[in-house]
Amino acid sequence: MILDGKVPSGPIETKWNTYKDHINLVAPANRRKHTVIVVGTGLAGASAAASLGELGYNVLALTILDSPRRSHSIAAQGGINGAKNYKNDGDSIYRLFYDTVKGGDYRAREGNVYRLAQVSVDIIDQCVAQGVPFAREYGGLLDNRSFGGAQVSRTFYARGATGQQLLLGAYSALMRQVDAGTVKVLPRREMLDLVMVGGRARGLLCRNLISGEYERYAADAVLLCTGGYGNAYYLSTNAGNCNVTAAWRCARRGAYFGNPSFAQIHPTCIPESGTHQSKLTLMSESLRNDGRVWVPRQTGDKRNASDIPESDRDYYLERRYPAFGNLVPRDVASRAAKAVCDEGRGVGATGRSVYLDFADAIKRLGEDVVRERYGNLFDMYQHISGENPYQAPMRIYPAIHYAMGGLWVDYNLMSNLEGLFVLGEANFSDHGANRLGASALMQGLGDGYFVIPYTLGNYIGGTRLEAVTTDHDAFKEAQDAVDKRIKGLLASKGGKSVKELHRSLGRVLWDRVGMARNRAGLQQALKEVTGLRGEYQKNVRVVGEGQTINKQLEYALRVDDYMEFADVLVRDALDREESCGCHFREEYQTEDGECQRNDAEYAYVAAWEFKGRDQEPALHKEPLEFKSAELKQRNYK
Amino acid sequence: MSTMTVKVRVWRQPSPDKEGRLVDYTVGNVVADMSFVEMLDVLNEQLVAAGEDTVAFDSDCREGICGSCGCVVNGVPHGPGTGKTACQLFMRAFTDGDTLVVEPFRAKAFPVLKDLCVDRGAFDRMIAAGGYISANTGAAPDGNQLLIGKEIAEKAFDAAACIGCGACVAACKNASAVLFVSAKVGQLSYLPQGQPERYRRVVRMVDQMQKEGFGACSNEGECEAVCPKEISTLHIQIMQRDYLRSVLRGA
């Protein structure tokens, strides 16, 4: 099936305003009659729930955590892009749009990206009004810094904790609506199924993570703001509770999964130190503003960094990409790091890391300025590694970080299931095959504050929604199925822990669907994933009981979903016989080892339809058109 | 890499209404680069292998920013060392054969849910009682219309860095939450955006704090000593001064 993204017609500059001028509206007095469920309270969910509450809708906001303030958006460090052009350096809405489409290697939808660039300026204003303590210059104006994939400074930041400050801003707006009685927050709840009535998303079933009870909620629309699926790879920079379950359960109900193989690998993470490792920690890309990436020129050079003279160092990013230098996009920087390590020039005990060196910056700016800019990141590095980055260079290596793929949505952010909207990282729409730094925060907040209040109103205002209550058979059917699944898992007393099997799955994905992919490896991965899925069913061991806090059971349900999801992730990588952004197929590369896209055959969004466990999914395509950003080979040289 | 073995004495409590007790475990193959919560993961894998219920503890980002984790290790919230959460406590802080006594954060306002998990919903309710600036989406002026000096922005950030973990409450003999409340009150009081609601906010938040069953401040500073973000007790003075002013003004 050919999918329609429903992008409004007309010039790209006026699409969004024209759209807003002609959509259906819901009158203020009627809004409270409509219940909306928001799943997830990160930047997208909290901003959506708060904004819809302000409008007067009756909002239920669910989070798996004990408070909305802890959602993983909080860990974003570097900043948020906004096309303000405060720096007078040539930025504009068009340029942010262009950089984002190009950065995504021409696999995002133009209409959505342009809208995102347009609302980016409003986001900054909104956050300032909420009291977000952005970095300021001495004169009191907002400060900016530069980020990868751009030649302007458009990134607003709050030290190295921008995500925290933006989330706390959205969270405070959310709690204000709790105070006002328009939003009810339901913490420690995990969505385990989507409830469809009459072909529309009309509610969900969740598990109360304290009591283990099932809870049913009916609504006029469901907004999924549940983040990305990086943890399918076992080790990632994601928080422990990030998972694919809510999205995958929607996929099982018929929502298409868009571009699942587009998983971003971030170049600057603290390298793995052993098998005990439960997560990898990101060091903000902003560090590449002042840090220089290098490895020894010769293979097998085991000298300490300080003993290696300049002449024996290879600043490989500056050498290969003189125009962008250390600030090339993430996919390019990650592959370059892998390449030098594969050549045997990696550093550290494992040889799987490269240096990120601040010696020049400290010499140029002084230690105090470096501390002011990156102090908390340096402290974090020191806590984790036990090494002092003011004295010796950091060691970094790429790690899974962000999911560009996600549930397919149209211009309204609505999935192919009517009434199911998907916001933020959970959808596929804005970043194509590679996300630029400081754009995730922008998208989460753009979707929540400035897009969904309009598109949701358009849906509710233009749809006759019959009353649905939680005693509808569809809720009972969902609850019975979830109960059966949970009882099955609790009865599983096999030989391997959930963690062991998850680690095995992650190893397959990282090795074969990571920074470099090829047909034979992907075919092998497909077999291995099928094998692991079978093993999981037969040999997993789940301890504890259902009617209490049981983190093993929560984990077991999530890994069960990764086992199914991994199949479509691998198939997507196999189907796309080209290289683009994060998706580097070794068969398709230019002479100097860069991505070789195939626009004639693959300029589409791959949207996968689940057909049943161990069944081949169906592929639907949304053709991508590039009218405002000309299709070109990316060049950061 | 050399490994060590530690003894872990953990608070096990099946549910809020049942009694809890300390249970002893031995965890081997611990390495220096392992975080404290990764050590608990190893313990839980042992328990899974033995078919026993695992130790329930909250943990999410594992990089010290979400505020999910938190327990008392050897009598200190988040364990030995300063300026870090339990997930940023590394086993290099301990030596082979050490005993780690691990308990939940204890306060009347933080009921234990299971083992090391506590209910910190009171923190959310205090924020809902005015810990915000009323600024509806879409109505904001240009961000640069408001000039905010660098020093003010930095001061507001210092207060805003609070991660809401609750260690301050657990460290205080009165189980007071003033450091948490004053961090939010302080952040918004320093900024020009926060002025219109300044006095209303402090009264409502402090009243809610008392309603939740947190104790009073007796100025001993244990909260600051254990705060992972090293939030200063100076904000408490701002809060108390603003509260007094509000009461005198009849806000």
Side-chain angles (χ1 to χ4, degrees), chain B residues 69-73 76-80 84-87 89 105 163 165 167 226 228:
Chain B
C69 68
C71 46
V72 175
V73 184
V76 182
H78 294 304
K84 49 102 201 69
T85 52
C87 67
L89 168 63
F105 284 173
I163 58 175
C165 63
V226 299

Side-chain angles (χ1 to χ4, degrees), chain A residues 189-193 205-215 245 249 477-493 498 536-537 540-561 613:
Chain A
R189 304 296 203 290
E190 181 151 24
M191 173 179 176
L192 292 176
D193 208 351
L205 186 92
C206 68
R207 182 169 177 270
N208 180 319
L209 300 181
I210 300 174
S211 66
E213 285 161 357
Y214 303 121
E215 295 176 3
T245 287
R249 290 287 131 188
E477 182 253 326
Q479 183 171 327
D480 290 348
V482 166
D483 187 52
K484 195 172 156 214
R485 226 180 130 216
I486 286 180
K487 290 205 169 107
L489 280 169
L490 287 172
S492 302
K493 300 295 171 213
V498 180
Y536 193 78
Q537 229 161 4
V540 74
R541 169 185 292 219
V542 183
V543 297
E545 293 165 11
Q547 302 304 309
T548 173
I549 293 181
N550 185 343
K551 301 217 175 220
Q552 284 290 313
L553 172 63
E554 294 167 27
Y555 187 29
L557 285 159
R558 295 170 194 170
V559 175
D560 190 39
D561 287 329
R613 198 173 177 114

Side-chain angles (χ1 to χ4, degrees), chain A residues 51 54 67 70 86 125 128 136 142 159 171 176 179 188 240-241 278-279 383-384 497 541 549 551, chain B residues 38 45 49 58 60-63 92 114 124 128 132 136-137 142-144 146 154 158 164 193 204:
Chain A
S51 303
E54 288 162 11
S67 164
R70 309 201 196 285
Y86 282 159
D125 300 338
V128 170
R136 298 267 169 174
L142 286 156
R159 287 192 205 155
Y171 160 76
R176 173 173 166 245
D179 197 19
R188 294 197 197 258
N241 286 294
S278 58
K279 79 155 288 169
H383 270 309
I384 294 172
S497 70
R541 169 185 292 219
I549 293 181
K551 301 217 175 220
Chain B
E38 284 171 342
E45 285 292 285
D58 283 316
D60 198 37
C61 78
R62 299 202 167 187
E63 48 189 83
R92 64 179 81 94
K114 184 179 177 181
D124 287 331
Y132 50 73
N136 276 10
T137 304
D142 187 275
N144 259 349
L146 209 55
E154 296 291 328
D158 287 340
Q193 302 94 305
R204 287 194 63 207

Side-chain angles (χ1 to χ4, degrees), chain B residues 116-187:
Chain B
L116 305 175
C117 298
V118 296
D119 180 357
R120 289 170 289 196
F123 273 15
D124 287 331
R125 291 188 291 275
M126 292 191 291
I127 296 293
Y132 50 73
I133 288 170
S134 299
N136 276 10
T137 304
D142 187 275
N144 259 349
Q145 287 210 336
L146 209 55
L147 294 179
I148 301 173
K150 191 178 174 69
E151 298 83 354
I152 302 287
E154 296 291 328
K155 202 166 142 191
F157 184 100
D158 287 340
C162 169
I163 58 175
C165 63
C168 48
V169 174
C172 177
K173 63 177 182 181
N174 308 328
S176 174
V178 287
L179 192 66
F180 172 80
V181 173
S182 71
K184 185 48 72 180
V185 165
Q187 175 203 344

